[in-house]
Amino acid sequence: MTETYKRVALIGLGLIASSMFWAMKRGNLVDEVTGYARSAETRAKAREIGLCDRVCDTAKEAVEGADLVVLCVPVGAMEAVAKEIAPALMPGATVTDVGSVKRAVIEAVAPNLPEGVHFVPAHPMAGTEHSGPTSGFAELFDGKFCLIVPMQDSDPVAVERLEVLWQDMGAQINRMEDAAHHDLVCAVTSHAPHLIAYTMVGVADDLRRVTDSEVIRYSAAGFRDFTRIAASDPTMWRDVFLTNKDATLEILGRFTEELFALQRAIRTGDGDHLFDYFTRTRAIRRGIIEAGQDTDAPDFGRVKRGS
Ligand code: NAP
């Protein structure tokens, strides 16, 4: 049987870290979870709500004696954090991360870890538009995928041990050996859609100055769903685009071409093109529901309807 972790250290105490903590508590998966966040305000809030068994005032103190250290900070902060904790890591410990980009995180973290410490990059494909220590909940990862992106020299036992933890926290595991492939897949499924949502909401915001409050009042027509995505944490998403530049630009290039084709179909009255396109895209939604990654309830399962 795979050995479980005794002490887990969470560095960064936002949505993902707090959800991991509650999921570990729900399953009684580890003996002790320590935590560290850079601001005194977040550490105080964590202590107040019982987030972590022990909240430490330094990252070094949090990782001392931990057999698993999880980096739960924005992608752009990973390198500095890795450098800071490196001298305090226990030999044989595993360091992992939850960053939304993998190539840049591997380049930032791996060279800074000491010999004898394992690094197993990972990315839980679950989130909400909320952030901070109070935003987490134990069920966040239930049924969702966690991508494990081991490096060529990642220790197989360390990889397996981390996979078991994610499964015990409710996630389904998928291994992706190629970090660049991970980044391209995420550019399609997450990063480009976020940028498009940010843009759409930005355009509507400009328009609002013309149409007054109409954009808000009639937002249920579709715009509201863009605003949910566009409310996501600005620091996290700034870092995602700065570190997954190539893949995001590749997908946005394709997006622009398709948009021009649809624009042309509208201008020329090519209904067949529009109908075929929308039929194809509808099938994708069905596939997501069949894979258990969303509900088929109308309006994303929002309960208050017609009242
Ligand atoms: P979050 O709720 O905004 O929390 C971020 C945490 O990182 C906070 O505790 C913050 O500390 C700390 N932090 C921010 N900048 C830092 C810096 N420069 N140095 C040290 N610590 C810093 O973020 P999150 O949503 O949990 O995201 C964490 C990671 O998970 C990111 O790498 C993100 O890409 C990844 N991820 C996010 C989602 C999602 O949907 N949110 C999904 C999958 C993966 P303070 O509170 O003290 O400022």
Side-chain angles (χ1 to χ4, degrees):
M1 218 177 95
T2 313
E3 199 188 346
T4 54
Y5 301 105
K6 292 191 174 45
R7 186 185 295 171
V8 174
L10 301 172
I11 307 300
L13 293 174
L15 169 72
I16 300 297
S18 55
S19 297
M20 289 183 74
F21 174 73
W22 298 121
M24 285 188 273
K25 283 291 134 181
R26 177 185 66 177
N28 198 17
L29 305 180
V30 298
D31 294 347
E32 190 190 28
V33 181
T34 58
Y36 167 77
R38 75 180 160 164
S39 72
E41 194 189 342
T42 299
R43 296 197 296 273
K45 180 52 85 179
R47 288 184 181 115
E48 182 192 322
I49 63 173
L51 170 61
C52 293
D53 299 311
R54 192 156 52 85
V55 177
C56 302
D57 287 328
T58 66
K60 274 188 183 169
E61 194 188 330
V63 306
E64 267 164 20
D67 42 10
L68 178 69
V69 175
V70 193
L71 308 182
C72 306
V73 296
V75 172
M78 295 279 180
E79 182 173 359
V81 170
K83 282 181 176 159
E84 191 183 341
I85 61 171
L89 292 168
M90 191 170 77
T94 295
V95 173
T96 184
D97 75 293
V98 294
S100 307
V101 177
K102 291 277 69 86
R103 228 162 42 138
V105 170
I106 290 171
E107 280 165 16
V109 174
N112 291 302
L113 298 181
E115 284 274 313
V117 167
H118 309 295
F119 181 42
V120 185
H123 176 201
M125 302 288 287
T128 74
E129 67 278 26
H130 299 134
S131 53
T134 56
S135 58
F137 51 98
E139 299 78 22
L140 179 65
F141 309 114
D142 286 349
K144 300 292 188 302
F145 282 101
C146 181
L147 303 177
I148 308 287
V149 190
M151 299 189 308
Q152 271 186 341
D153 58 354
S154 285
D155 177 56
V157 178
V159 174
E160 205 177 300
R161 209 172 164 197
L162 183 69
E163 287 178 338
V164 169
L165 177 71
W166 274 108
Q167 279 167 333
D168 289 346
M169 287 192 292
Q172 307 183 53
I173 292 304
N174 227 336
R175 240 184 241 197
M176 241 181 215
E177 308 287 342
D178 181 357
H181 180 70
H182 164 278
D183 291 355
L184 185 65
V185 169
C186 289
V188 179
T189 58
S190 170
H191 306 168
H194 271 79
L195 198 77
I196 292 160
Y198 279 123
T199 315
M200 193 58 231
V201 175
V203 167
D205 183 47
D206 291 342
L207 198 65
R208 190 157 60 111
R209 290 180 194 127
V210 183
T211 61
D212 216 348
S213 63
E214 280 179 321
V215 170
I216 306 269
R217 195 177 316 134
Y218 306 126
S219 65
F223 177 65
R224 183 180 58 184
D225 296 321
F226 278 103
T227 63
R228 188 190 65 73
I229 297 177
S232 301
D233 189 68
T235 306
M236 169 187 157
W237 284 98
R238 177 203 61 196
D239 287 4
V240 165
F241 293 118
L242 292 182
T243 56
N244 198 18
K245 204 169 169 174
D246 296 348
T248 310
L249 290 178
E250 161 70 21
I251 300 305
L252 287 173
R254 287 167 186 251
F255 174 82
T256 313
E257 282 172 23
E258 299 272 312
L259 190 65
F260 279 142
L262 289 172
Q263 219 172 314
R264 187 181 156 77
I266 293 170
R267 183 176 303 112
T268 60
D270 187 350
D272 288 346
H273 181 90
L274 296 173
F275 186 85
D276 291 348
Y277 202 91
F278 301 157
T279 304
R280 186 152 67 86
T281 54
R282 195 177 213 190
I284 305 232
R285 173 82 191 146
R286 256 183 252 125
I288 289 170
I289 291 158
E290 275 159 26
Q293 297 301 299
D294 206 347
T295 164
D296 64 350
D299 201 13
F300 300 93
R302 289 187 178 98
V303 277
K304 278 205 294 189
R305 291 178 57 77
S307 55

